[in-house]
Amino acid sequence: MRPLSYKEEQLMNILWRLEKALVWDIIAEMDDPKPPYNTVSSLVRKLDKEGIIGHEAFGKTHRYYPILKKADYRKSSFRKFMNHFLWKKKIFRLRS
C-alpha cells in the first residue's frame, strides 16, 4: 500500500472517526478555511477508485466509509518508517 498524502490522511482520519459520511460531512469536520466541495469530492473519488474507501449510493448522493482499517494503516506506516530508518543506520555504519 502506498503512503497517503497529508490531505488524504486528514480525510481518512475524519472517515475513521465518523465511520460513514457524505462529502458535506467531511468538509464540516475540516479546519478553516474549508476546502471547496469539488476538491474534497475529487479526493474521495480517488480514494474510492483505489479501494481505500467504499461508498453506498443513494441516487446521485454517495455516503463513503473506510475500507482501510486505521490500525492496518498505522502498522504499515510504522513498518515503512522503521525500515527506512534502519536502512539509513546500516548505510551510516558502513561508511564509518
Side-chain angles (χ1 to χ4, degrees), residues 11-22:
L11 188 144
M12 287 303 297
N13 279 320
I14 292 169
L15 272 180
W16 284 322
R17 189 173 60 248
L18 298 177
E19 296 180 3
K20 292 184 179 184
L22 304 172

Side-chain angles (χ1 to χ4, degrees), residues 36-52:
Y37 179 92
N38 288 343
T39 301
V40 177
S41 180
S42 294
L43 188 56
V44 166
R45 283 182 308 204
K46 177 183 172 200
L47 292 173
D48 186 24
K49 184 177 179 184
E50 292 178 10
I52 296 172

Side-chain angles (χ1 to χ4, degrees), residues 28-72:
E29 294 291 317
M30 292 181 154
D31 296 331
D32 288 329
K34 308 272 189 216
Y37 179 92
N38 288 343
T39 301
V40 177
S41 180
S42 294
L43 188 56
V44 166
R45 283 182 308 204
K46 177 183 172 200
L47 292 173
D48 186 24
K49 184 177 179 184
E50 292 178 10
I52 296 172
I53 64 175
H55 73 273
E56 301 167 330
F58 302 98
K60 292 183 180 181
T61 304
H62 291 82
R63 182 170 57 185
Y64 297 93
Y65 56 89
I67 292 175
L68 174 64
K69 305 286 185 232
K70 189 174 189 175
D72 294 341

